[in-house]
Amino acid sequence: MPPFWYNLLLALILPLYRLRVWQRSRHQPDYQAEVSQRFGGFAPAMQTGVVWIHAVSVGETNAAQPIIQHLLDQGQAVLVTNTTRTGQARVRQLFADRVESVFLPVDTVGLMTQFFDQYQPKMIGLIETELWPNLIYLAAQRNIPTILLNARLSEKSAKGYAKFAGLTRPMLQQLSMIAAQDQATAERFIVLGAVAQNTIVTGSLKFDLQPPIQVLQQAAQLRHAWQLNQRQVIVAASTHDSEENQILNIFNALHQRHPQTCLIIVPRHPERFNRVAELIVEKGWPLARRSAGQAITADTAVYLADSMGELWMWYALADMAFVGGSLAATGGHNPLEPAQLAVPVVMGSHTFNFAQIVHSLVDAGGLIQVGDVSGVYAILEQWCAQPVQAKAVGAAGRALLQANQGALARQLTLLDGLLDPSAASRTT
């Protein structure tokens, strides 16, 4: 069982966490439903005997999409939990009512026991680094196979886990399987206590991501309707506080040199949409917003993509992309989505969340990493002036993805083996 201090700490911070959820969600119409799902008072389960997939937010949900679809194709009842509203919205957008979608409860023994009793999961798939001690402990106690899919662990995070060996080692040993994105991740988990023979290097699911066909079709229609073929579209994606200001500052100079450019800003968090809209106006640009159903016209230089679940579409419209969270010290976001579409990518120096992926793309020539916003400007200006060079960078990124695909098939094999061990043994 997790150490006493862990559960005591949870008991102490639970009221503060509930206050935080209230502050963040008090203006949302479904606030009470979120509170019930996080803190008890669960609604009756639609199905029991589920395969439970937990993905913290949008990126993890996107990575889990083909796994969830595989389970549905097998006729499995699927429960998907998220920690963020954006993640839950993405689940509903992708799967509607084909899966049950709720927030993950707080990891107390009482809430998790209630949750397990309600849904009676027969297998659990945790995506990337979602390690919750009481969840994993209860699964082991009930002999429910639990796999950490698409597992990643940075050197910094590993050092943090190592400080709490009494919590970390038993938790990792209770996992049935760890499907690591790379060898370095596998070795870090093993050093922390994971069982070596259950820690398998499968590669990253993100290399296997494919944009939905309907999204590409929609992007093609918008490109034609908005007359973007004669313009150079720059997408600033998953931006954080301070990054929009920096990007807008350099875009002013960029647009003066290249008047045909159009900047699409896609803020990471929906609660910041209105603030970014105000910032665009403060910078002197006419405001056009996706949420208002406005189009990009010949007079639109800056467009606010304040919508959820459309990032693939914005990348499909892009001639080049800045991936956010990399000028702000938040660790960066996934550059593989634009790379899959052969869009050249520039990022700042803060990319520790995707360090291995960024390193691989940089080495392949599919991504340019710079130190600050002036470096972002220099690269974007160069690509605007030399579009052939930009296309070459995009092509290099896509080639890297194609060379590293296959992680999905390997992880589905592990997952199917845990669901039906007898079938797995017959195929080996």
Side-chain angles (χ1 to χ4, degrees):
M1 189 170 183
F4 171 77
W5 62 261
Y6 173 74
N7 288 301
L8 176 62
L9 182 62
L10 281 179
L12 293 174
I13 67 173
L14 193 60
L16 296 176
Y17 180 57
R18 186 162 186 160
L19 175 62
R20 181 187 175 210
V21 172
W22 175 79
Q23 290 175 328
R24 189 177 60 202
S25 308
R26 63 187 184 276
H27 301 303
Q28 300 290 337
D30 58 346
Y31 163 68
Q32 289 299 329
E34 179 179 356
V35 170
S36 294
Q37 291 169 16
R38 290 188 188 275
F39 303 103
F42 310 121
M46 291 167 52
Q47 300 181 83
T48 59
V50 298
V51 178
W52 174 10
I53 301 294
H54 176 61
V56 61
S57 193
V58 175
E60 294 80 5
T61 299
N62 286 337
Q65 177 184 353
I67 291 175
I68 297 169
Q69 186 61 55
H70 173 78
L71 293 168
L72 292 173
D73 291 344
Q74 289 184 327
Q76 301 286 352
V78 179
L79 166 71
V80 182
T81 55
N82 300 97
T83 307
T84 69
R85 284 177 169 267
T86 53
Q88 188 176 84
R90 182 60 174 156
V91 172
R92 291 173 177 170
Q93 182 183 46
L94 290 171
F95 299 105
D97 59 357
R98 292 188 293 153
V99 304
E100 186 162 2
S101 172
V102 298
F103 285 103
L104 181 74
V106 179
D107 189 45
T108 65
V109 173
L111 289 175
M112 280 297 169
T113 298
Q114 185 181 352
F115 197 77
F116 273 76
D117 289 345
Q118 172 148 315
Y119 288 99
Q120 300 173 31
K122 61 182 178 182
M123 196 193 76
I124 303 172
L126 307 172
I127 307 297
E128 296 196 356
T129 52
E130 284 299 286
L131 296 168
W132 294 99
N134 282 319
L135 185 162
I136 294 170
Y137 166 75
L138 288 172
Q141 288 294 105
R142 299 180 183 216
N143 295 315
I144 301 169
T146 303
I147 180 171
L148 188 62
L149 292 159
N150 209 40
R152 64 183 175 94
L153 186 66
S154 68
E155 184 176 357
K156 179 180 178 181
S157 295
K159 289 178 180 178
Y161 279 115
K163 295 177 182 178
F164 304 99
L167 177 70
T168 301
R169 180 172 291 274
M171 176 177 64
L172 293 179
Q173 291 175 343
Q174 288 164 349
L175 289 170
S176 308
M177 194 77 67
I178 297 175
Q181 292 189 15
D182 51 61
Q183 187 62 42
T185 288
E187 291 171 0
R188 290 177 189 130
F189 275 117
I190 292 169
V191 168
L192 289 172
V195 179
Q197 59 265 36
N198 294 340
T199 305
I200 313 298
V201 178
T202 59
S204 173
L205 288 175
K206 289 182 170 66
F207 286 112
D208 287 287
L209 281 181
Q210 296 292 331
I213 296 298
Q214 63 271 25
V215 170
L216 299 183
Q217 293 171 342
Q218 184 180 12
Q221 292 168 358
L222 288 181
R223 178 173 284 276
H224 175 74
W226 292 353
Q227 299 182 14
L228 296 176
N229 287 325
Q230 303 306 314
R231 304 185 68 177
Q232 290 177 303
V233 178
I234 302 167
V235 169
S238 299
T239 53
H240 287 249
D241 190 22
S242 81
E243 289 185 321
E244 295 93 2
N245 184 63
Q246 295 181 75
I247 294 298
L248 284 167
N249 285 341
I250 65 168
F251 182 70
N252 183 57
L254 190 67
H255 191 259
Q256 291 179 19
R257 293 177 63 89
H258 303 279
Q260 79 283 9
T261 52
C262 174
L263 173 65
I264 298 176
I265 300 179
V266 192
R268 177 69 175 179
H269 297 116
E271 62 268 22
R272 297 187 56 252
F273 286 166
N274 288 336
R275 174 58 195 134
V276 178
E278 293 169 357
L279 184 63
I280 292 170
V281 174
E282 290 170 10
K283 296 293 183 180
W285 298 104
L287 179 63
R289 302 181 68 159
R290 177 66 168 171
S291 62
Q294 295 169 310
I296 294 177
T297 68
D299 297 326
T300 306
V302 177
Y303 188 78
L304 178 57
D306 54 345
S307 59
M308 297 304 301
E310 292 192 311
L311 187 56
W312 272 118
M313 188 182 73
W314 303 124
Y315 280 138
L317 290 175
D319 294 291
M320 58 198 76
F322 163 76
V323 176
S326 59
L327 290 176
T330 57
H333 293 289
N334 183 17
L336 290 178
E337 291 170 342
Q340 175 61 38
L341 293 167
V343 175
V345 178
V346 59
M347 296 184 73
S349 59
H350 301 287
T351 56
F352 56 81
N353 286 336
F354 294 89
Q356 186 60 47
I357 286 171
V358 169
H359 179 74
S360 298
L361 279 168
V362 169
D363 282 353
L367 183 150
I368 307 298
Q369 190 168 21
V370 297
D372 54 25
V373 72
S374 64
V376 175
Y377 171 80
I379 295 302
L380 293 178
E381 200 285 324
Q382 184 176 351
W383 287 345
C384 287
Q386 303 177 48
V388 173
Q389 183 187 78
K391 289 183 180 297
V393 174
R398 186 170 188 177
L400 176 71
L401 264 72
Q402 292 173 338
N404 284 275
Q405 290 174 349
L408 176 60
R410 290 186 284 270
Q411 296 195 39
L412 289 180
T413 297
L414 296 178
L415 183 145
D416 289 345
L418 291 176
L419 273 173
D420 187 358
S422 61
S425 64
R426 290 194 299 269
T427 61
T428 58

